[in-house]
Amino acid sequence: PRSSVFGFVQTISNWGLFATIAAVLLIGVTGTALGYSTSTTIDRLTGKTEQMREGDLDTTFHTTRIDNIGRLYDGFAEMRDALNEQIEEAERARKEAEVSRAEALEISNYLQEKAEEYSDIMQKCAAGDLTQRMTEDRENESMDRIAAEFNEMIEELEKTTGQLKSYVDEVEEAGQEVEQSATTVRKASEQVADSIQK
């Protein structure tokens, strides 16, 4: 019958309308849920990035999502780890620089003290005290080499001066002997002259 055919068509049409409305509602609910989930996750990620920006690099980035937002979380976590590593390297470099600066300052102070000490010894040697010697304390190779060469030079100079003094003493003794001989010769000459006159 015509009514049965059109009734069946009407039933199918009604079910199609219900299915369409249900599908639209399902898509709307699913879209809303996904949108809310995505929005919540992005808000949470924004909050964590704000914490990082304020200096909290211990912020944890963890999500169970495996989509692009999950990869974004992973990217921020890697960026946080890289920042932590760079900060640690910078801190190590700063500490090494401080140690190097302290060592350089210590060496500078040592060299200044040694230079003053060596200058004082040189002045005493220049004033005639050749018994002065520079000490080698094994702290700085260059300063020890200077001290060793200076000491060697002063020892040679002291030997030379000692030889000169010895030579001067010998000359003085010889001069005294010559003077005594001259006195003896003069006396003998006077005696000879007296004898001749007599």
Side-chain angles (χ1 to χ4, degrees), residues 29-76:
V29 168
T30 304
T32 302
L34 285 174
Y36 178 75
S37 173
T38 302
S39 175
T40 304
T41 306
I42 288 176
D43 287 344
R44 202 172 322 126
L45 181 61
T46 303
K48 290 182 180 293
T49 56
E50 283 293 324
Q51 290 176 354
M52 270 183 62
R53 190 172 64 82
E54 291 171 1
D56 182 12
L57 294 180
D58 293 329
T59 304
T60 57
F61 289 91
H62 178 70
T63 184
T64 56
R65 295 178 70 120
I66 58 172
D67 57 358
N68 286 338
I69 293 176
R71 286 198 291 275
L72 193 60
Y73 264 81
D74 293 341
F76 272 104

Side-chain angles (χ1 to χ4, degrees), residues 76-167:
F76 272 104
E78 289 172 6
M79 184 176 70
R80 178 207 57 210
D81 295 341
L83 279 172
N84 275 330
E85 187 175 338
Q86 287 178 357
I87 288 171
E88 288 173 5
E89 286 178 5
E91 188 67 23
R92 278 195 301 270
R94 185 184 63 80
K95 287 179 181 176
E96 288 174 4
E98 286 179 359
V99 169
S100 298
R101 190 173 68 81
E103 288 175 355
L105 185 61
E106 185 179 340
I107 290 172
S108 175
N109 291 337
Y110 167 78
L111 291 176
Q112 188 173 357
E113 289 174 7
K114 271 297 177 186
E116 289 174 3
E117 178 187 333
Y118 287 0
S119 174
D120 184 48
I121 290 172
M122 286 182 199
Q123 287 175 359
K124 288 179 180 176
C125 288
D129 183 6
L130 298 180
T131 60
Q132 295 292 320
R133 295 293 182 271
M134 293 182 179
T135 56
E136 300 176 42
D137 53 11
R138 307 285 182 230
E139 288 287 327
N140 186 282
E141 186 179 342
S142 298
M143 296 304 277
D144 287 345
R145 193 165 55 247
I146 289 171
E149 291 175 0
F150 178 82
N151 291 341
E152 186 178 337
M153 180 186 72
I154 291 299
E155 284 175 11
E156 289 295 324
L157 188 60
E158 192 175 20
K159 286 178 187 175
T160 304
T161 306
Q163 290 172 353
L164 286 174
K165 283 183 181 178
S166 174
Y167 180 69

